[in-house]
Amino acid sequence: MNDPREKRPRIFDLDGAFDARVAEYLRRKKNKYTEEEWEDAVARLYRKFGETYIESLGGTPAEYYRRMSAEELLAVTRAHFAEKVPVDGFLRAALEEGSNKGVAEALLSGGEEEVLFALGLLGADRALFPRYLSLFEHTDSAAVRDRLAEIFAENADLLADELLAVRARGHKKEETADILSRCLVPREEIFSLLLEDFRAAEGAAAEACAARLGRYGDERALPDIERKAALQETGYLAWRAMRLAAEALGGSVRERDFSEDEEYVALAREEEKRRREREEALENPDRA
């Protein structure tokens, strides 16, 4: 039986090899260029490196990946992640070619690093939104969830029905509310959802919910915001978020005395500390 290790693709740290060459070049050309000139020089050197024949590759770095089939590209990309070898610019360029889109899509079924890398390649491809939504609903990765939320936020109206369904199934309640608050087309079910969240929220959650109402822009939320901001149990940070939300909706909240509020006192102390540090830095610039 063949040893499965024989089928493992060979991977190369081409960017690492390039960095080593550049380090030597920089050592020899020290103090010759300005920072901007160095950036241009490094870019030229990278292009030249991509066109340089390397015996171990059997071609240039750019050719090495272009010769691979989709299956080989997928295998070598996954090997990079498995062995913690950075994906170099030449491999990324090959994966960005339209004919290799399927390779990037296949990475969506991998681990967190592979998925994040794939999302960086694929971006806001609407044809992939159904798959993105499933991934968003079921992922345990905060990083993947946050990256998908960024993509969805720019397409909130398009995905509103699907996100409402995700929320109705009890998944990613906070994240879906945040995305839905970015919808531009008014919808009663979205406003009701955001308002009910705000009414039930306390502490830090109330801050987030207030911000969503302010962002959504329906002034009917003002009475609830004003009422909650006036409650004694509403701390300074939540009150501040409610004030900003009310102002975004064309209203205001009643001023309150927070001199004995723990959050307010802690922030005041921190601000005083920073003020003293700034003054000391100005008085003693040599210490900075």
Side-chain angles (χ1 to χ4, degrees), residues 10-11 13 15 25 36 40 48-49 59 70 81 88 95 102 110 116 127 132 137 171 211 214 228 241 267 273 283 287:
R10 292 186 67 191
I11 61 174
D13 185 3
D15 279 355
Y25 182 80
E36 187 173 314
D40 291 339
K48 183 178 179 181
F49 178 67
F81 285 105
D88 58 72
L95 293 169
L116 290 171
Y132 283 4
E137 182 172 1
H171 296 156
K228 195 158 190 168
L267 281 174
K273 178 183 175 182
E283 294 173 359
R287 293 184 183 179

Side-chain angles (χ1 to χ4, degrees), residues 15-66:
D15 279 355
F18 172 73
D19 290 343
R21 293 192 180 194
V22 168
E24 173 60 21
Y25 182 80
L26 292 177
R27 187 187 64 78
R28 288 188 283 107
K29 302 291 184 178
K30 188 176 181 180
N31 300 325
K32 184 175 181 180
Y33 300 120
T34 65
E35 183 176 345
E36 187 173 314
E37 288 171 337
W38 271 123
E39 291 177 0
D40 291 339
V42 170
R44 288 196 304 273
L45 287 169
Y46 195 73
R47 287 193 296 271
K48 183 178 179 181
F49 178 67
E51 299 166 357
T52 301
Y53 181 87
I54 298 176
E55 187 173 351
S56 59
L57 302 180
T60 69
E63 291 172 339
Y64 180 64
Y65 296 115
R66 282 203 300 262

Side-chain angles (χ1 to χ4, degrees), residues 32-265:
K32 184 175 181 180
Y33 300 120
T34 65
E35 183 176 345
E36 187 173 314
E37 288 171 337
W38 271 123
E39 291 177 0
D40 291 339
V42 170
R44 288 196 304 273
L45 287 169
Y46 195 73
R47 287 193 296 271
K48 183 178 179 181
F49 178 67
E51 299 166 357
T52 301
Y53 181 87
I54 298 176
E55 187 173 351
S56 59
L57 302 180
T60 69
E63 291 172 339
Y64 180 64
Y65 296 115
R66 282 203 300 262
R67 292 197 304 254
M68 291 185 178
S69 66
E71 292 77 11
E72 289 170 327
L73 275 175
L74 179 59
V76 80
T77 304
R78 284 189 160 152
H80 270 266
F81 285 105
E83 300 187 26
K84 307 298 183 184
V85 176
V87 173
D88 58 72
F90 305 105
L91 175 53
R92 185 183 182 97
L95 293 169
E96 287 175 338
E97 293 182 6
S99 59
N100 292 319
K101 180 182 175 183
V103 177
E105 290 182 34
L107 294 171
L108 291 173
S109 62
E112 179 181 83
E113 291 185 345
E114 289 184 17
V115 173
L116 290 171
F117 179 72
L119 291 173
L121 293 172
L122 297 166
D125 186 335
R126 292 188 177 186
L128 291 172
F129 279 1
R131 188 165 182 187
Y132 283 4
L133 282 160
S134 178
L135 184 58
F136 174 76
E137 182 172 1
H138 300 293
T139 184
D140 292 324
S141 166
V144 170
R145 176 199 65 209
D146 291 346
R147 179 67 188 101
L148 287 169
E150 291 174 7
I151 294 173
F152 294 164
E154 298 176 359
N155 299 272
D157 286 295
L158 178 66
L159 296 168
D161 288 333
E162 289 82 357
L163 290 166
L164 286 167
V166 169
R167 169 144 178 149
R169 290 191 289 271
H171 296 156
K172 305 296 186 292
K173 297 182 71 172
E174 293 296 314
E175 294 88 344
T176 52
D178 196 68
I179 300 166
L180 289 166
S181 71
R182 301 170 193 277
C183 287
L184 300 177
V185 179
R187 292 183 57 165
E188 193 63 30
E189 62 266 50
I190 294 177
F191 173 67
S192 297
L193 177 154
L194 297 176
L195 187 61
E196 287 304 313
D197 279 358
F198 175 74
R199 288 171 175 170
E202 298 178 359
E207 296 175 48
C209 290
R212 290 172 194 142
L213 284 173
R215 186 186 303 123
Y216 192 66
D218 194 319
E219 66 275 6
R220 290 178 296 166
L222 271 172
D224 278 272
I225 294 174
E226 292 167 355
R227 184 162 47 249
K228 195 158 190 168
L231 295 176
Q232 197 65 31
E233 57 266 31
T234 297
Y236 174 70
L237 294 179
W239 175 87
R240 187 174 64 176
M242 293 174 201
R243 180 183 66 184
L244 292 173
E247 290 173 352
L249 298 175
S252 62
V253 299
R254 182 172 61 83
E255 293 293 327
R256 289 173 48 198
D257 178 12
F258 288 100
S259 59
E260 297 184 5
D261 182 272
E262 292 182 2
E263 296 173 338
Y264 180 83
V265 171

